[in-house]
Amino acid sequence: MTDANHKIIVLRDILVREQSADYSNLTVIGGLDQFLARWANELSSSINIAVNYSDMSVSERRDWVSLTIASMEGIEAWKEPSKEPESHLPQRARAPRLSPRLPLETDVSQIKGVTKTNHPKLNRLGVSTVEDLVYLFPHRHKDFTKIRKISQLQYGEEQTIEASVFEAKENRSGPRRNSTHAVLVDDTGTVRTTWFNQGYLAKSFKPGTKVVVSGKVSAFRGGLVFENPEYEIIRGQDDLTHAARLVPVYPLVEGLYQRTVRRIVKAGLEAGLNQVVDYLPREIVVRTGLQDLTTALSQIHYPDSGANWESARRRLAFDELFMMQLSMLRRKQSWQEMETGVQLPHQDQVNTFLKSLPFELTLAQKRVIEEITRDIRSDRPMGRLLQGDVGSGKTVVAVAGMLGAVMNGYQAALLAPTEILAEQHFLTITHMLSGGRVVDEGMHLATAKVGGRDVIVGLLLGGLKKSVKDQMRKMVEESQVDVVIGTHAIIQKEVEIPKLAVAVVDEQHRFGVMQRAALREKGIRPHLLAMSATPIPRSLALTLYGELDVSFIDEMPAGRQSIRTRYVDPIKRTTAYDFVRDEVSKGRQAFFVMPFVDESEIRIGKGKDGDDGTAQLPGIDPTKTKLVKGAVDEFERLSSSVFPDLRLGLLHGRMSLKEKELVMAKYQNREIDILVSTPVIEVGVDVPNATVMLIDGADRFGLAQLHQFRGRVGRGEHQSYCLLLADDPSKDARERLKLVERISDGFRLAEEDLRIRGPGDYLGTRQSGLPSLRLARITDQDIVSLARREATRILEHDPDLQVNQYQELSKRLSLYEQGLAVEMS
């Protein structure tokens, strides 16, 4: 069929619809005159189109349309169309064809579409084999399922049309900027479509070519247009890849493009999907009602519907969580049943120490200490997670556990995630162990008298001078240090703790699974106590720490005051300062916490880790910057301009340990009224006389960290307050601060923090011990519970996974644990 004949057929269809529309001139977008003008050259020799249809009366339009249709009867190419033109689209989205077959371990270079140019780029994406392609999950889908006629297109929506190319041409707008401009037509009208910087497409879009176009409809010069839409030329294929369906969007690296990755993944699925073996025993698939693995893998890439995608996600999310639970439960089983730990039977001196404390332990603290004591008296190594809200008294419980090792002639270690926190623990614990003092700041040692014997506490940090670090390491190895406190430096291979019996990990969620395992390997299969500085949501705790027993301190110490929290509007900053002054006049003290040491211009929404850092926060434009106050400058301003008559102190992470200890001693002795600090006071600070926590730049912190700061006050007999200040908070930031104002329960706040920030930001993905969860969500509590139940059932039936029905599962678990070791190393 010639191009002119094709256009005659389309024109006749439009005129027939114009008759049905009572000659309203609304059948095509822009009116019939504009439509005819585009086709004048091709049609003027056959049909009289030299008319002004818009100027005609209804009767004149009727006559012209009738005559024009009649004149077409003699044209040989004309064929009567059916009332419903046949769609060239597949009747439904189909799963990828399962051919030709290739083993899953086949190099990706053997897949159609992989070239010498894109092969290394695929490798950078983590794709080396056919199996990697099968498991390269899209991170989202574009919904291009709304298939419409051109006349039904709506501005601003994602839509799909099936049309014919009326014309397409390449437009040169610069040396390297060639674009394709096309007019697409169906039996209801035309629409302009542009592909910027893709001039080569014009050669593929010959007049009459059937094409499916999907994308967001925008406007240009009063008409609707597609700009850079997804497209697919219809050539009789079984199903579509780029349009008219739920279209996958894959992760990319520089130099790779979505269409290329889609084509290659599609080819990988066709080659490898039928080679996938479902490693889940059939009994689990049936009992849980999950999809089979092949169906799930197909539907996660190219789902027939949103419901099918969710079913596929649940199956693959179950697989991820099931492997985690199975691995953790087996590790716990191996640790407790196959290894012999050290028994620590003598606990009398620990009890004497606890009775000597200047405060009464809560019933919850006593209960948890009894649980720990029972564990460490056994020859089965303890694995326990200690949970409790801020201020519930977890540190003294941990000290009791460590003393249990020391009083039996062994060593203990406490591992903190940062040097700042390790130093704070060092100061807090030596103070708690009755009158300890730093005897040699260069050696970072302290001695305390406990139960009639000296207890030597050492601080081992990666940032120490090599000579100091070497000396400390030697003392630890010669068992001259009873309790060693430090960072990840403790678990380096060259550090030996020969008599390690109790290991405590603080802020457990910042450490990987393999790091926890490395600490356990020190000494004689030590007992492990994991502490969480802030409450961890149950779903997260179960996911991360499935190998640990859990103890809860669910009671606050006597005399703890409820803390009244208020978000202070930026214009009321002076009012907040007046309130602090009033509290100081009553003999109280206050904390002022700043995000940074020095004033900084930072990108909004992006902080930095460590002493002065905060997490990436949601709902904030990361390209904008603003000035954030620093503790040093603010200390000078407050001292000279706001509180010149009061005694102010400064504390931050760049100060030496001796300087920090001196400042904290002055504050505890009431020689400082207001302590201006960075987040170094996040844990371990106990000043009962402090009643005000003012957090300046509160929008720079996560909910859990704000709750930690709040927990530094309210420890005495007086009513305490937490004031949240932010100079220019976003709407999302104000909502988060209002949550802290409203919710005082740490566990509820932790759930909100997890919901808002997601597990990656909440935990810090690389440090979390949480393997890459590509489809599982930390909030999938039902799937977590289901995975744990099924893992427990299997291990009870066959702990070593040796029966035939578990052979594939055993292989898969080995691969998972090998990958975990690499990922967490």
Side-chain angles (χ1 to χ4, degrees):
M1 183 188 301
T2 67
D3 182 35
N5 286 344
H6 166 72
K7 291 176 178 178
I8 289 171
I9 294 172
V10 173
L11 177 59
R12 186 190 184 282
D13 290 341
I14 290 172
L15 295 181
V16 169
R17 289 182 178 272
E18 184 68 10
Q19 287 177 323
S20 301
D22 294 328
Y23 310 98
S24 63
N25 200 23
L26 298 175
T27 304
V28 292
I29 296 172
L32 200 54
D33 288 332
Q34 184 177 331
F35 184 81
L36 294 171
R38 296 196 195 106
W39 290 11
N41 292 336
E42 291 88 345
L43 300 181
S44 58
S45 61
S46 305
I47 299 171
N48 175 27
I49 60 172
V51 296
N52 290 318
Y53 190 76
S54 59
D55 295 336
M56 293 180 181
S57 65
V58 172
S59 60
E60 289 172 332
R61 292 178 181 179
R62 183 189 302 112
D63 292 342
W64 179 82
V65 169
S66 298
L67 287 172
T68 303
I69 291 176
S71 69
M72 294 178 180
E73 299 296 339
I75 298 175
E76 183 177 353
W78 178 83
K79 294 181 181 180
E80 182 70 35
S82 60
K83 291 183 180 180
E84 291 295 332
E86 180 183 359
S87 172
H88 297 268
L89 296 177
Q91 293 302 304
R92 67 178 183 87
R94 297 182 176 89
R97 296 186 305 259
L98 302 181
S99 64
R101 298 188 176 195
L102 285 175
L104 291 173
E105 63 273 14
T106 302
D107 192 274
V108 71
S109 61
Q110 302 304 305
I111 293 293
K112 181 180 179 182
V114 178
T115 65
K116 291 182 179 179
T117 301
N118 61 35
H119 188 195
K121 296 171 184 175
L122 288 167
N123 290 161
R124 291 208 308 272
L125 197 58
V127 175
S128 301
T129 65
V130 172
E131 184 173 26
D132 293 334
L133 284 176
V134 172
Y135 281 90
L136 182 65
F137 300 141
H139 56 75
R140 63 187 178 94
H141 286 78
K142 291 183 178 179
D143 188 354
F144 290 152
T145 58
K146 296 177 182 177
I147 301 175
R148 291 176 173 169
K149 295 290 185 182
I150 290 176
S151 64
Q152 298 171 328
L153 291 175
Q154 299 292 318
Y155 171 77
E157 295 183 14
E158 299 269 10
Q159 294 152 94
T160 297
I161 61 169
E162 178 191 6
S164 299
V165 177
F166 171 60
E167 64 180 11
K169 57 186 179 181
E170 184 177 357
N171 181 50
R172 296 180 181 271
S173 56
R176 290 187 172 184
R177 300 184 64 186
N178 297 349
S179 299
T180 294
H181 295 272
V183 177
L184 305 182
V185 60
D186 67 7
D187 55 1
T188 71
T190 64
V191 65
R192 289 187 177 277
T193 307
T194 300
W195 286 272
F196 297 107
N197 301 320
Q198 299 178 68
Y200 60 88
L201 292 180
K203 297 178 182 178
S204 300
F205 291 158
K206 303 295 184 185
T209 301
K210 296 293 182 183
V211 63
V212 177
V213 169
S214 296
K216 191 173 184 178
V217 176
S218 54
F220 180 71
R221 292 182 178 176
L224 298 180
V225 296
F226 282 102
E227 294 183 342
N228 282 340
E230 295 285 356
Y231 69 91
E232 195 148 0
I233 296 173
I234 300 176
R235 298 190 176 96
Q237 58 265 52
D238 287 342
D239 67 334
L240 301 178
T241 302
H242 308 290
R245 65 178 308 149
L246 289 169
V247 175
V249 179
Y250 292 99
L252 300 173
V253 295
E254 185 176 358
L256 274 181
Y257 302 95
Q258 276 297 334
R259 293 181 69 84
T260 302
V261 174
R262 279 193 208 115
R263 283 195 296 266
I264 292 173
V265 172
K266 190 85 169 288
L269 290 170
E270 292 173 353
L273 196 55
N274 55 9
Q275 306 296 308
V276 172
V277 176
D278 197 338
Y279 51 84
L280 272 190
R282 185 64 187 166
E283 65 189 72
I284 294 181
V285 176
V286 172
R287 190 162 53 235
T288 57
L290 295 168
Q291 282 185 344
D292 66 87
L293 185 57
T294 301
T295 300
L297 288 170
S298 173
Q299 290 293 305
I300 207 67
H301 289 278
Y302 288 96
D304 294 334
S305 65
N308 283 6
W309 177 86
E310 177 58 23
S311 294
R313 188 197 74 83
R314 285 185 63 84
R315 163 60 207 260
L316 296 170
F318 175 88
D319 286 12
E320 292 177 344
L321 295 169
F322 178 72
M323 281 297 161
M324 287 180 67
Q325 294 298 323
L326 198 61
S327 177
M328 286 188 289
L329 290 172
R330 285 235 301 179
R331 193 158 51 243
K332 177 180 180 179
Q333 182 183 69
S334 172
W335 182 258
Q336 291 194 329
E337 296 182 4
M338 299 176 64
E339 303 289 351
T340 300
V342 58
Q343 289 180 277
L344 305 172
H346 306 299
Q347 299 295 318
D348 292 342
Q349 289 178 304
V350 176
N351 294 330
T352 301
F353 161 74
L354 293 173
K355 290 176 182 178
S356 71
L357 292 171
F359 52 85
E360 179 71 22
L361 295 178
T362 65
L363 292 177
Q365 287 173 310
K366 292 177 180 178
R367 184 188 69 245
V368 172
I369 289 173
E370 286 177 2
E371 291 171 351
I372 293 171
T373 300
R374 183 172 61 249
D375 285 350
I376 63 179
R377 278 177 168 161
S378 167
D379 62 357
R380 295 176 60 181
M382 174 180 69
R384 187 168 290 278
L385 172 64
L386 176 57
Q387 280 258 60
D389 205 344
V390 177
S392 61
K394 296 184 290 293
T395 302
V396 69
V397 172
V399 169
M402 291 189 289
L403 282 179
V406 174
M407 297 307 172
N408 281 273
Y410 291 91
Q411 292 169 289
L414 188 149
L415 183 61
T418 67
E419 293 195 355
I420 294 293
L421 290 174
E423 287 180 344
Q424 195 59 55
H425 277 301
F426 179 73
L427 295 175
T428 301
I429 290 172
T430 53
H431 177 76
M432 186 180 295
L433 293 175
S434 115
R437 62 184 181 87
V438 178
V439 295
D440 185 337
E441 195 249 340
M443 289 292 290
H444 290 68
L445 285 174
T447 304
K449 276 286 190 198
V450 179
R453 64 155 289 179
D454 288 341
V455 175
I456 309 297
V457 183
L459 181 63
L460 177 58
L461 304 175
L464 294 176
K465 292 181 180 179
K466 186 177 185 300
S467 59
V468 176
K469 196 161 38 178
D470 289 345
Q471 181 63 26
M472 179 65 71
R473 186 182 297 123
K474 181 181 179 183
M475 293 183 67
V476 170
E477 291 175 353
E478 293 177 355
S479 300
Q480 296 178 36
V481 174
D482 299 304
V483 178
V484 56
I485 299 171
T487 61
H488 58 274
I490 294 178
I491 61 171
Q492 292 173 349
K493 290 183 179 179
E494 60 267 28
V495 180
E496 295 296 332
I497 313 176
K499 300 185 73 176
L500 181 63
V502 172
V504 177
V505 178
D506 186 34
E507 293 211 32
Q508 169 79 349
H509 64 271
R510 296 196 194 182
F511 288 92
V513 169
M514 305 315 293
Q515 289 169 306
R516 298 202 297 266
L519 184 60
R520 275 177 158 176
E521 292 303 316
K522 299 294 178 183
I524 313 169
R525 291 294 184 269
H527 301 282
L528 175 64
L529 178 65
M531 288 200 303
S532 166
T534 53
I536 299 174
R538 181 181 181 278
S539 57
L540 187 58
L542 191 61
T543 303
L544 291 181
Y545 315 126
E547 80 271 30
L548 303 177
D549 297 316
V550 182
S551 291
F552 285 95
I553 302 179
D554 51 7
E555 179 185 3
M556 300 298 283
R560 285 303 301 259
Q561 301 291 321
S562 62
I563 302 165
R564 296 178 184 173
T565 305
R566 292 292 180 270
Y567 164 62
V568 180
D569 193 276
I571 63 174
K572 296 182 179 180
R573 175 177 290 273
T574 301
T575 304
Y577 291 160
D578 291 341
F579 180 80
V580 172
R581 179 179 292 279
D582 185 58
E583 282 294 298
V584 173
S585 71
K586 298 175 183 176
R588 318 282 185 260
Q589 293 165 278
F591 292 100
F592 276 39
V593 175
M594 309 287 163
F596 300 102
V597 175
D598 298 314
E599 186 176 72
S600 305
E601 185 175 1
I602 50 90
R603 284 188 293 123
I604 298 175
K606 184 68 174 179
K608 62 180 180 178
D609 294 327
D611 168 32
D612 307 313
T614 51
Q616 175 80 32
L617 301 175
I620 302 176
D621 182 356
T623 64
K624 295 182 179 179
T625 63
K626 73 173 182 179
L627 204 61
V628 177
K629 297 173 184 175
V632 174
D633 291 337
E634 192 65 2
F635 168 74
E636 295 295 338
R637 187 185 73 85
L638 292 170
S639 298
S640 61
S641 302
V642 183
F643 303 110
D645 53 326
L646 300 183
R647 301 167 300 175
L648 274 69
L650 177 64
L651 186 69
H652 59 75
R654 294 179 191 166
M655 299 166 67
S656 69
L657 182 61
K658 189 173 184 179
E659 290 172 324
K660 292 173 193 166
E661 187 177 18
L662 180 61
V663 171
M664 284 309 303
K666 285 185 175 182
Y667 192 57
Q668 288 169 331
N669 292 331
R670 304 190 186 185
E671 297 173 27
I672 293 174
D673 300 314
I674 299 174
L675 181 60
V676 181
S677 173
T678 59
V680 295
I681 54 90
E682 186 176 348
V683 296
V685 175
D686 188 1
V687 182
N689 192 54
T691 59
V692 181
M693 169 61 67
L694 188 151
I695 307 170
D696 206 340
D699 55 329
R700 301 296 306 157
F701 300 103
L703 300 184
Q705 199 170 19
L706 291 172
H707 186 60
Q708 273 280 31
F709 297 147
R710 176 167 58 184
R712 297 306 102 203
V713 296
R715 294 169 175 255
E717 59 181 314
H718 306 295
Q719 176 63 55
S720 293
Y721 307 88
C722 179
L723 306 179
L724 307 173
L725 277 71
D727 282 335
D728 187 25
S730 67
K731 180 181 177 182
D732 286 342
R734 282 195 299 271
E735 290 177 357
R736 289 187 299 107
L737 297 180
K738 288 289 186 181
L739 279 174
V740 181
E741 181 181 75
R742 189 174 69 251
I743 300 173
S744 60
D745 180 81
F747 284 94
R748 281 185 57 205
L749 203 59
E751 292 283 1
E752 289 294 329
D753 205 13
L754 178 62
R755 180 185 62 80
I756 292 172
R757 297 167 65 191
D761 284 333
Y762 181 86
L763 298 169
T765 304
R766 286 290 297 171
Q767 290 82 25
S768 66
L770 181 66
S772 299
L773 293 180
R774 293 181 290 173
L775 292 171
R777 301 165 184 155
I778 271 311
T779 50
D780 284 332
Q781 192 163 332
D782 60 329
I783 305 180
V784 172
S785 299
L786 183 64
R788 187 173 181 83
R789 184 170 68 242
E790 292 298 334
T792 301
R793 188 188 299 232
I794 280 185
L795 292 179
E796 287 175 348
H797 180 254
D798 183 12
D800 299 319
L801 302 180
Q802 291 183 335
V803 299
N804 288 336
Q805 68 194 88
Y806 298 152
Q807 290 305 299
E808 293 298 330
L809 178 60
S810 180
K811 293 177 187 176
R812 187 73 179 193
L813 181 61
S814 295
L815 291 173
Y816 169 82
E817 291 181 334
Q818 290 171 21
L820 185 63
V822 171
E823 183 176 351
M824 295 303 166
S825 62

